[in-house]
Amino acid sequence: MSLAQHVTANEGIDRVRPEDEEAGNEEVLWRTLSYDLFAPGHSAALAIADESPAPPAAAAYKVSAVKRAAQVGFAIVACWFAAGIVYGFASLKPVLIEEGVYSDLCPPDDNVPSSTGDGSEKLPCAAQDMRLNLFFIAASITTNTSSLIAGWVLDRYGRRLCYVVSSLFMIAGCVMMGLAFQIPEFDGYLLANILLSLGGTFVFVPSFQLANAFPKHSGIIVALVTGAFDGSAAIFLFYRLAWDASGRTFAPATFFFGYTVVGVLLLVGEWALMPARAYHSTPELERKLEKAQDAMRDVHDSDEEIPSENEVRRRRNIRAERRLSKIEQIEELVGDESQREGRVQQEEERQEASGIWGVLHGVAAHRQMMTPWFVFLLLLTVLQMLRMNYFIATIRAQYRYLLQSEKLAEDINHFFDVALPVGGVFATPFIGLLLNNLSVATASAVLTLFIVLIGILNCLPQLWAGYATVVAFVLFRPLYYSAISDFATKIFGFATFGRIYGTITCLSGLINLVQSGLDALTHGPLNGNPTPINAVMAAGGTILGTALTAYVIIQGRLFQHKMQQKEDADRVQERLGLIREEREAEENGYGTIH
């Protein structure tokens, strides 16, 4: 799964350090999340969010609430049907095996039906299994790396182009997949799956912009879009169920040719319903509101040329009515002053709860990447992504060996097929609450406990342990990816998010190529035994997770001590300033006596 697929907020506040650390106060700036790896990370230009090269935004308050709700609903449905369907690989894999995909790689004596519980399925040979896993690995790597390209296109050319590109990728991927099933000589499976993953990324990443349609409810919209991504993993599950129900006559070619309708509807909906430009972000609306509240805007220089005072008064009243109407429309979107102050207070509480908010804000991206903060997050994410994708691709083979039963392995696989999307959707709202109220150190400790738990359970050759592993896995997976995104904004800031998160995403995705080596090791020297690999990755994750947690605790205390010292110094300076003003006032007072 892509790191880009789980975020807890699309906007936030950065701490901006003064140029002179010894003089000047820190500022805070509201910024918008960007996945653009190529955006400038540390420059004065970022002080204002709308100075990016993105197309001009549209005013949401000029569009009816019903239409905006329909646009948000369309984006969520589009994500549900397209965003992460490639992660339903575990559901599709039995169909691919039964249809004989890559069975030509097997020796003749290996390509025979297995002795499963119902005697109806085939077991893949080692070569076929590894090639099918590569089918998933390629899509996973593409999803991670393409999120950065999608972010770049989004920031520079807008959401509409992303949706159009997504629809074309979806149509091309489905057609190519259908042709691959229909024409045995045409090996288009790998490329088709890559195209489907690209289609998912280009519809998912820009969908977060729709949160600006209802700024007061942006958190709910972000959660729904994220949940739609998790739910999309069930598409191949539904197809496999229909394939089984039809007596396995519902051919994959028919399904994929039919699924091109998703790309077509995405294209039609984009031009018929969706906004041509992104809606104003909260910072932009705040600036518009500030301008609209300036009563002096009712007075124009041209008023002096009007001889009649009544006419001048009439025109100014019209301008005032227009200005007050605009204020009312904007406040309907972002809330009145008390509601806005409440959100600011919630953000401040979230920052305080984190324990380390702003520790590297305002630092250049290349310097951030040289810190242990970045190194620990990168190493842990590389290992966890590899481990999770290895589990998704090999769950059935793992439990076939651990339980020495194809039927029991099949049952766990089918349970996982349902639990993966359901667990992601179920966990999403709770993840936001968890990360908003726990310190980064505590959240890191929770992740480490999950790593240890899954590592132990995944090595036990017991049926109950298999089901427990699946439950822990489907809860941990969305939590981990959301936590890394959350940690990145709290530690590094929104200004450098694209570069920091993009680097972690790219490297983690590319290193997933190692998964092919793990498959070869499992099928070769280990004779199908996944336990050594699972144990090594669990031990490595435990060490890195513990190290990250310890580092966050130590550095968090040092950072809090530093901030306390700065606050004390600021209070002393403030008191000295007051004393200085009092003395100057006294001296001025004495000077007036004659």
Side-chain angles (χ1 to χ4, degrees):
M1 138 174 236
S2 170
L3 284 169
Q5 313 311 335
H6 279 82
V7 296
T8 54
N10 65 326
E11 294 175 338
I13 296 175
D14 273 2
R15 186 196 304 274
V16 180
R17 306 180 183 210
E19 293 185 8
D20 183 358
E21 291 284 352
E22 302 299 326
N25 296 322
E26 293 182 331
E27 298 180 75
V28 291
L29 293 174
W30 193 278
R31 285 174 171 150
T32 302
L33 189 71
S34 170
Y35 290 108
D36 186 359
L37 177 64
F38 310 104
H42 181 61
S43 110
L46 281 170
I48 299 178
D50 61 359
E51 288 185 4
S52 66
Y61 52 82
K62 294 182 180 179
V63 180
S64 70
V66 173
K67 186 172 183 178
R68 283 183 280 122
Q71 291 168 345
V72 172
F74 180 82
I76 292 170
V77 172
C79 288
W80 194 285
F81 281 93
I85 61 173
V86 295
Y87 288 97
F89 172 72
S91 298
L92 185 64
K93 190 174 181 180
V95 180
L96 298 176
I97 295 170
E98 189 68 24
E99 293 291 326
V101 176
Y102 296 130
S103 60
D104 57 306
L105 300 175
C106 298
D109 57 337
D110 281 343
N111 194 17
V112 294
S114 69
S115 55
T116 60
D118 57 9
S120 61
E121 293 189 0
K122 299 177 182 178
L123 282 177
C125 68
Q128 182 185 13
D129 193 47
M130 288 190 288
R131 182 63 66 88
L132 289 173
N133 290 344
L134 182 62
F135 172 88
F136 169 70
I137 294 168
S140 175
I141 293 173
T142 301
T143 304
N144 280 280
T145 53
S146 65
S147 63
L148 309 178
I149 302 172
W152 181 83
V153 173
L154 175 65
D155 284 356
R156 281 160 177 75
Y157 303 106
R159 185 203 53 77
R160 169 155 287 180
L161 180 60
C162 289
Y163 267 44
V164 171
V165 170
S166 171
S167 66
L168 297 178
F169 277 136
M170 288 297 298
I171 293 171
C174 288
V175 169
M176 185 169 290
M177 191 75 81
L179 290 174
F181 279 105
Q182 202 168 57
I183 306 173
E185 296 78 14
F186 177 57
D187 182 7
Y189 302 107
L190 204 65
L191 181 57
N193 211 31
I194 289 173
L195 291 173
L196 291 176
S197 68
L198 287 170
T201 301
F202 272 85
V203 74
F204 181 77
V205 171
S207 292
F208 285 117
Q209 274 195 352
L210 272 299
N212 292 328
F214 297 94
K216 285 192 295 186
H217 309 292
S218 62
I220 296 174
I221 295 173
V222 168
L224 289 172
V225 172
T226 303
F229 173 87
D230 291 312
S232 65
I235 295 298
F236 286 155
L237 168 63
F238 293 141
Y239 166 63
R240 198 204 72 217
L241 294 175
W243 176 72
D244 278 331
S246 68
R248 304 186 176 182
T249 59
F250 184 12
T254 304
F255 168 74
F256 281 106
F257 282 138
Y259 210 73
T260 56
V261 72
V262 172
V264 173
L265 291 177
L266 182 59
L267 199 59
V268 171
E270 173 56 43
W271 293 101
L273 175 65
M274 302 301 279
R277 295 177 293 164
Y279 291 127
H280 289 123
S281 63
T282 299
E284 292 170 327
L285 290 172
E286 292 280 3
R287 288 193 290 274
K288 282 183 171 290
L289 187 60
E290 187 177 347
K291 289 180 180 179
Q293 289 172 336
D294 182 8
M296 291 304 297
R297 296 175 66 85
D298 301 336
V299 180
H300 291 185
D301 293 337
S302 60
D303 292 346
E304 297 178 1
E305 301 174 3
I306 302 175
S308 171
E309 289 187 8
N310 289 334
E311 178 63 16
V312 170
R313 191 178 300 109
R314 186 186 70 82
R315 293 192 180 189
R316 289 180 178 176
N317 286 338
I318 292 174
R319 294 170 193 150
E321 289 177 4
R322 215 176 308 149
R323 180 176 56 81
L324 294 173
S325 175
K326 186 175 183 179
I327 291 175
E328 184 178 349
Q329 288 176 318
I330 295 176
E331 287 190 334
E332 186 178 349
L333 274 179
V334 298
D336 56 28
E337 187 175 356
S338 63
Q339 290 174 317
R340 297 196 302 276
E341 288 178 354
R343 286 201 297 274
V344 170
Q345 184 177 354
Q346 287 179 349
E347 182 66 20
E348 290 174 348
E349 291 172 354
R350 178 173 172 266
Q351 295 162 5
E352 185 177 353
S354 75
I356 51 126
W357 177 79
V359 64
L360 291 179
H361 287 195
V363 178
H366 71 276
R367 290 177 56 197
Q368 291 178 336
M369 291 181 189
M370 293 187 289
T371 64
W373 294 100
F374 178 80
V375 173
F376 279 131
L377 283 178
L378 174 63
L379 293 178
L380 185 60
T381 301
V382 165
L383 184 59
Q384 291 313 303
M385 183 180 291
L386 178 62
R387 184 185 181 190
M388 284 187 269
N389 287 340
Y390 176 72
F391 184 79
I392 291 174
T394 64
I395 179 171
R396 192 163 189 162
Q398 287 196 37
Y399 284 100
R400 182 185 301 128
Y401 181 91
L402 290 172
L403 303 178
Q404 293 296 302
S405 168
E406 171 62 24
K407 183 63 174 67
L408 295 179
E410 179 185 339
D411 291 342
I412 290 178
N413 195 160
H414 289 175
F415 175 68
F416 177 74
D417 294 342
V418 176
L420 185 65
V422 171
V425 173
F426 171 78
T428 295
F430 299 102
I431 289 171
L433 292 173
L434 190 72
L435 296 177
N436 287 341
N437 291 283
L438 292 183
S439 68
V440 171
T442 304
S444 178
V446 171
L447 294 179
T448 304
L449 288 175
F450 264 106
I451 291 171
V452 174
L453 178 64
I454 295 172
I456 293 173
L457 291 173
N458 197 201
C459 292
L460 298 178
Q462 303 292 331
L463 182 61
W464 67 267
Y467 284 108
T469 302
V470 169
V471 172
F473 179 90
V474 300
L475 295 177
F476 170 72
R477 181 170 171 263
L479 172 61
Y480 183 82
Y481 288 126
S482 298
I484 295 303
S485 168
D486 185 66
F487 291 177
T489 57
K490 288 174 179 175
I491 296 169
F492 305 107
F494 282 80
T496 58
F497 182 86
R499 290 187 176 185
I500 296 297
Y501 204 60
T503 302
I504 292 175
T505 300
C506 265
L507 292 177
S508 299
L510 292 174
I511 291 176
N512 261 262
L513 287 168
V514 174
Q515 187 177 329
S516 294
L518 297 180
D519 280 343
L521 182 62
T522 304
H523 285 289
L526 297 179
N527 296 315
N529 184 4
T531 303
I533 292 175
N534 288 333
V536 169
M537 288 198 287
T542 301
I543 293 170
L544 288 172
T546 303
L548 173 63
T549 303
Y551 185 79
V552 172
I553 292 172
I554 295 170
Q555 292 299 314
R557 289 174 180 172
L558 293 174
F559 180 67
Q560 291 297 326
H561 180 66
K562 177 183 176 181
M563 296 304 297
Q564 186 61 50
Q565 285 183 322
K566 189 178 184 308
E567 289 178 8
D568 293 342
D570 288 343
R571 280 196 290 268
V572 170
Q573 290 296 325
E574 184 180 357
R575 183 168 180 79
L576 290 175
L578 291 173
I579 294 174
R580 193 180 304 112
E581 290 177 3
E582 290 176 0
R583 287 179 178 176
E584 290 175 355
E586 290 177 359
E587 291 174 0
N588 292 335
Y590 293 146
T592 59
I593 299 176
H594 298 285

